[in-house]
Amino acid sequence: MPETLHIPHPLNLVLRPWRGSDLAQLITAANHPQLAKLLPHPYSEADALLWLHEAATTQHDLFWAITVDDAPVGGIGFRAMQWSHAGVGVVGYWLTPAYWQQGIVPACLNVAAKHALENTPLRRLEAGVYSSNPASMRVLEKAGFTREAELKRRIIAKGDVLDEIIYARFRPEA
């Protein structure tokens, strides 16, 4: 289970482990129409229960609720890859649109990435972004990630074939 992390930001931002008591707020937040391309839609109680169980029981991954005054408004995490990709964490994040454009995700991602790279076996964090999502690219860049590759015609999103842009951040060399 991940540690609770306090984020330097004007809002009372904390990254904390997901809890069963987050169920109703998770369903409400995840069902915002602007998140339909990122999360299952509609986001059901069964989806939320499955996620909360996975977040609570994982032995290898790090998943946090992004909270404002202890209420979940998004999520962030790293899914650890295995076998020949051991040491690589795949980044995921989402935020309720009411909190967009306030610097929340870059601040949270920067702190979470630093924590993961310094306190876990992860040596590399990577994120794939739809080529149609420049806002997410800016989030990653503000959080210290570097654009690494462009994978042509890699994603199908709502019937559109898109390129995937790969960003990475590494454990500092000793």
Side-chain angles (χ1 to χ4, degrees):
M1 182 165 296
E3 293 179 33
T4 297
L5 304 174
H6 296 272
I7 310 301
H9 190 277
L11 294 174
N12 184 17
L13 285 179
V14 174
L15 295 180
R16 64 157 170 80
W18 286 97
R19 305 188 290 232
S21 60
D22 293 332
L23 180 67
Q25 289 174 305
L26 172 58
I27 293 168
T28 299
N31 267 308
H32 193 286
Q34 288 181 273
L35 298 177
K37 68 182 177 205
L38 305 171
L39 302 168
H41 194 77
Y43 197 86
S44 68
E45 182 173 333
D47 293 324
L49 287 169
L50 184 64
W51 170 250
L52 291 172
H53 175 75
E54 180 179 358
T57 60
T58 183
Q59 298 296 311
H60 305 287
D61 305 322
L62 296 170
F63 301 125
W64 289 275
I66 299 172
T67 67
V68 174
D69 296 325
D70 203 42
V73 297
I76 196 165
F78 310 112
R79 186 172 298 280
M81 298 178 74
Q82 298 183 22
W83 308 109
S84 61
H85 291 90
V88 177
V90 177
V91 178
Y93 51 84
W94 64 275
L95 186 68
T96 302
Y99 290 92
W100 288 1
Q101 298 182 354
Q102 296 181 50
I104 292 172
V105 177
C108 290
L109 182 55
N110 185 46
V111 170
K114 184 177 187 311
H115 173 81
L117 292 169
E118 291 177 356
N119 297 287
T120 75
L122 296 174
R123 68 180 183 283
R124 172 190 169 92
L125 302 174
E126 64 184 35
V129 181
Y130 296 4
S131 57
S132 62
N133 191 350
S136 194
M137 292 179 213
R138 284 191 304 276
V139 162
L140 289 159
E141 290 165 359
K142 288 178 183 178
F145 285 71
T146 303
R147 184 177 172 141
E148 204 175 58
E150 183 173 349
L151 306 178
K152 296 293 191 183
R153 298 184 298 266
R154 170 115 165 132
I155 298 171
I156 297 177
K158 296 194 176 198
D160 294 327
V161 177
L162 302 171
D163 299 342
E164 183 177 24
I165 312 302
I166 306 298
Y167 282 81
R169 181 168 164 175
F170 300 91
R171 178 183 299 147
E173 296 293 327

